[in-house]
Amino acid sequence: MAMLSMRLTLVRVLLARHRQGLVILSLMLAFIYPLVVRTYFLSLAIEVLIFALFAMSLDLLLGYAGLTSFGHAVFFGLGAYILAYLSSRNELALRLTNNLLLTLPLVVIGTALAAAVIGIFVLRTRGIYFLMVTLAFGQMLFSIAISWARVTGGSDGLAGVPRPLIGVGPLNYIFDSRESFYYLVLVVFLLVWWLLRRIVASPFGWTLRGIRENEARLSALGYNTFRYKMVAFVIAGALAGVAGALLAHFFGIASPDNLYWTVSGQVMIMLIVGGTGTLSGPILGAAMVRLLRNFASSYTERWETLVGLVFILFVIFAPRGLVGLLSGQRERVE
Amino acid sequence: MENFLLQLLNGLVAGMLLFVMAAGLSLIFGLMDVINLTHGAFYLLGGYIGLTLVRTLNNFWLALIVAPLVVGSLGLFIEHVFLRRWLGRQRHLDQVLFTFGVALIATDLIRAQWGAYVESVPGPSQLAGRVPILGIDFPLYRLALIVFGLLLALALWLFIERTRLGAIIRAGVADAQMVSGLGINIQLVFAGVFALGTALAALAGVIGAPLLNLYPGLDSEILILALVVVVVGGLGTLQGAFFGSLLIGLADTLGKALLPEFARFLIFAVMAAVLLLRPAGLFGAKEAE
């Protein structure tokens, strides 16, 4: 035990001293990764990146604004549906284009609008009430996705989503190999990461933290806290939509399962295990949960129990997640 | 007209079943500020324990007693060891996340134990058959459910409003710290209410199984409906759970009959309207915090 804690301290010191170097090292590793691994691990990395993106978007709500949404999968699923509706070869879909320069902005606009409308209702509540209401809303949209089969394909979903392309005029590039798709996801992920870093370091980001700590005080100072929360909710929804769109491209299908409340729960687990209120937390959490799930499922059918146990242990003993463990903080900042 | 009446009665049945679920959820929240996301899994566990008892001993009435006792004890254990000792009273959000983790594990283990197929459960033979009411033949079991729900609501209401323990619980909902300051062991009250709430979920599972069958995934459906009920009715009050259940039960049943494609949309609309007009719910005792 003493040995372990000494080693942990060593790791903490190293991490604290060489943060920048660590980021650069991880970036380099991420870029050469496809050159050294087998297909299976490449697919795994793509999934981890997509879910890390999804978890980061939730972190803006949970970790910064203090909004515990249990319905975030709505935007993830909706992003996938919008993309599939635009690009899928399925006869229910529009079969319009798979050009990311057109589809991604439409996904962002669509999910942002949905978030704004849902936000009008759910942002009237706070805390655990907010959690319940987002959960209920999410589940309602799930049942709409299931029953409105003429548009959504019902429980089959919309299959036949092709790999994306980027094109201007006659020039275009199709991301049809797994490697190229990995790089696409990586670049989108890094862009979102950079964007979120800018957001949380901005005055807007600090206002969100203020709302998390004491909303009444910020109201008294003259901040329109509803508007701030709404902007955060819309941004988070749109980014989750982007993650969902990438997932639809990767698996070739938009399915109602992506909207199910346990998906909201899964991404919540990733975020809590990784550490809320940081941007590295969601990445670590997504990687850990996804790897745990993939490796455990080859040994036991009860991998869900295992994931649940790990989650519970983190909630009880390390509420600041992996990032908290590595940096030496254990208590969640409430 | 007859069809409408039939749907109305079915809506009442659904409402009563929901009430048994939502009452526990609402009481636990009112007192402890924890929304128990394991409630759906406890419903399913109660139903499956009932199924096993009905299959082995062929006794529905025994299941009605044993399943709530077993699941209630499990609730007591969870409250005592985890929610209180390890998580502490002030970490409400962590407590909710904890109940989500337990729900994951519970549903996974239930699937391991009872399989992933749809299991139908026969109701008690004494309540088989149909009775004529107002010109329609209505299943006796469903009628019994309505009566049972009403009696349970009455009993719970008398318990909360007319007994000393009920007064303590109401005082705890208003201000737990003050109750504790008056020399009452509020921890014991918390544990008792949590056990009662989980036992009610299991009870709902047993009586609901002959109507809705049992299958993995039902836990989520029931949980969501119960959540909508408490959002609409308002958290922490029995009246809220009762009228919220009736409203949602009727809206869901009538919705399914009138607009089968958008059955759930009607409940959604009801909830959205309530959130806009009365964010604390129709009978909310607490500010929506």
Side-chain angles (χ1 to χ4, degrees):
Chain A
M1 217 37 214
M3 193 68 192
L4 183 75
S5 86
M6 237 174 70
R7 274 198 202 147
L8 205 56
T9 314
L10 196 68
V11 173
R12 279 171 192 160
V13 171
L14 280 174
L15 285 179
R17 277 201 197 145
H18 303 284
R19 181 153 297 169
Q20 204 134 37
L22 200 72
V23 170
I24 294 169
L25 186 70
S26 335
L27 276 179
M28 278 163 56
L29 284 177
F31 272 97
I32 58 167
Y33 183 78
L35 309 176
V36 291
V37 296
R38 284 182 293 128
T39 328
Y40 169 75
F41 288 100
L42 195 58
S43 300
L44 204 58
I46 292 172
E47 271 185 63
V48 166
L49 281 175
I50 292 174
F51 275 91
L53 180 59
F54 183 22
M56 268 196 313
S57 72
L58 178 63
D59 198 22
L60 185 68
L61 295 181
L62 178 62
Y64 291 91
L67 294 167
T68 317
S69 169
F70 230 95
H72 206 47
V74 163
F75 308 111
F76 188 62
L78 187 65
Y81 270 117
I82 293 176
L83 182 103
Y85 202 67
L86 292 170
S87 69
S88 157
R89 289 183 290 264
N90 197 299
E91 56 207 25
L92 292 173
L94 291 175
R95 286 170 284 183
L96 206 61
T97 173
N98 58 338
N99 188 341
L100 284 175
L101 297 179
L102 285 171
T103 55
L104 270 192
L106 287 172
V107 165
V108 167
I109 292 169
T111 45
L113 275 177
V117 172
I118 293 175
I120 292 174
F121 297 96
V122 299
L123 289 172
R124 287 166 179 265
T125 59
R126 285 190 200 105
I128 287 168
Y129 217 86
F130 179 79
L131 185 150
M132 284 172 52
V133 173
T134 46
L135 206 169
F137 262 84
Q139 214 47 22
M140 295 300 162
L141 288 171
F142 167 76
S143 36
I144 291 175
I146 291 270
S147 33
W148 200 16
R150 268 179 302 132
V151 172
T152 62
S155 51
D156 296 337
L158 286 175
V161 180
R163 282 289 156 88
L165 62 83
I166 283 184
V168 186
L171 292 171
N172 56 47
Y173 180 78
I174 304 174
F175 296 89
D176 50 359
S177 75
R178 201 164 290 250
E179 283 77 12
S180 63
F181 191 73
Y182 169 83
Y183 284 116
L184 172 71
V185 174
L186 183 63
V187 167
V188 174
F189 172 82
L190 290 174
L191 282 175
V192 171
W193 184 58
W194 174 80
L195 180 75
L196 280 173
R197 265 178 74 104
R198 293 294 300 267
I199 289 175
V200 301
S202 70
F204 172 75
W206 286 99
T207 311
L208 289 185
R209 291 182 186 83
I211 291 173
R212 178 189 71 195
E213 297 303 322
N214 193 336
E215 185 170 351
R217 183 172 293 174
L218 259 82
S219 280
L221 286 171
Y223 285 91
N224 184 343
T225 56
F226 182 85
R227 194 180 298 166
Y228 277 88
K229 290 195 287 185
M230 179 61 105
V231 173
F233 198 69
V234 167
I235 295 174
L239 294 180
V242 170
L246 290 174
L247 192 80
H249 269 310
F250 184 52
F251 287 133
I253 184 171
S255 138
D257 294 345
N258 295 335
L259 285 132
Y260 202 57
W261 77 288
T262 48
V263 176
S264 297
Q266 287 294 332
V267 70
M268 178 80 79
I269 289 177
M270 289 171 179
L271 188 53
I272 301 283
V273 165
T276 54
T278 62
L279 287 179
S280 39
I283 308 168
L284 286 176
M288 170 150 172
V289 171
R290 213 64 199 178
L291 292 180
L292 182 69
R293 196 173 138 172
N294 278 42
F295 289 115
S297 59
S298 52
Y299 294 105
T300 165
E301 268 181 64
R302 302 272 74 82
W303 55 266
E304 246 175 64
T305 300
L306 195 68
V307 171
L309 277 175
V310 168
F311 174 61
I312 283 178
L313 288 176
F314 268 93
V315 169
I316 295 176
F317 297 110
R320 299 265 306 144
L322 285 169
V323 169
L325 284 181
L326 292 175
S327 64
Q329 296 169 294
R330 302 244 330 244
E331 296 302 312
R332 190 204 304 276
V333 188
E334 291 269 12
Chain B
M1 190 60 211
E2 271 183 13
N3 187 38
F4 180 74
L5 195 64
L6 182 69
Q7 296 305 339
L8 212 61
L9 284 171
N10 279 333
L12 274 182
V13 174
M16 288 305 153
L17 193 59
L18 273 178
F19 170 70
V20 184
M21 273 301 276
L25 202 60
S26 181
L27 273 178
I28 292 173
F29 181 87
L31 203 59
M32 308 170 70
D33 288 321
V34 172
I35 199 78
N36 177 18
L37 295 180
T38 321
H39 219 60
F42 284 150
Y43 171 97
L44 204 55
L45 182 60
Y48 276 118
I49 291 174
L51 170 76
T52 304
L53 287 173
V54 168
R55 286 223 174 123
T56 50
L57 302 172
N58 198 18
N59 192 336
F60 186 84
W61 309 104
L62 189 67
L64 210 55
I65 297 166
V66 172
L69 277 180
V70 172
V71 179
S73 319
L74 189 64
L76 196 65
F77 173 76
I78 287 174
E79 200 282 335
H80 184 77
V81 174
F82 296 101
L83 294 186
R84 189 185 325 157
R85 186 164 298 172
W86 284 4
L87 281 161
R89 291 280 306 143
Q90 292 315 312
R91 290 164 64 187
H92 299 308
L93 179 59
D94 287 341
Q95 291 179 330
V96 178
L97 293 175
F98 174 82
T99 63
F100 173 64
V102 176
L104 273 187
I105 296 172
T107 45
D108 194 38
L109 294 181
I110 288 173
R111 202 178 311 130
Q113 175 66 31
W114 281 283
Y117 303 103
V118 177
E119 304 277 3
S120 62
V121 183
S125 51
Q126 293 89 334
L127 294 178
R130 289 165 170 273
V131 279
I133 345 170
L134 303 169
I136 43 175
D137 269 346
F138 198 64
L140 183 58
Y141 183 72
R142 290 180 181 231
L143 189 66
L145 268 191
I146 298 179
V147 176
F148 180 79
L150 288 173
L151 287 177
L152 185 76
L154 185 67
L156 280 174
W157 184 78
L158 285 175
F159 167 62
I160 297 285
E161 298 290 330
R162 292 281 183 270
T163 66
R164 194 182 135 74
L165 193 54
I168 293 174
I169 292 174
R170 273 182 293 136
V173 170
D175 189 340
Q177 212 176 357
M178 182 59 95
V179 176
S180 183
L182 289 172
I184 289 163
N185 188 348
I186 193 81
Q187 300 295 352
L188 209 62
V189 181
F190 285 149
V193 166
F194 198 85
L196 175 68
T198 48
L200 282 175
L203 182 67
V206 177
I207 63 175
L211 292 181
L212 304 174
N213 299 330
L214 294 167
Y215 52 91
L218 179 64
D219 52 331
S220 303
E221 286 175 36
I222 292 282
L223 174 69
I224 306 297
L225 282 177
L227 286 179
V228 173
V229 165
V230 289
V231 169
V232 167
L235 282 161
T237 66
L238 216 51
Q239 294 95 308
F242 185 76
F243 292 107
S245 300
L246 281 184
L247 187 61
I248 295 303
L250 284 171
D252 192 35
T253 311
L254 293 179
K256 272 180 189 148
L258 298 172
L259 306 156
E261 211 181 25
F262 289 101
R264 287 287 150 84
F265 194 74
L266 198 57
I267 317 174
F268 174 71
V270 170
M271 187 177 76
V274 169
L275 279 174
L276 277 182
L277 302 172
R278 284 189 64 111
L282 297 176
F283 295 85
K286 284 196 159 185
E287 176 70 0
E289 275 297 335

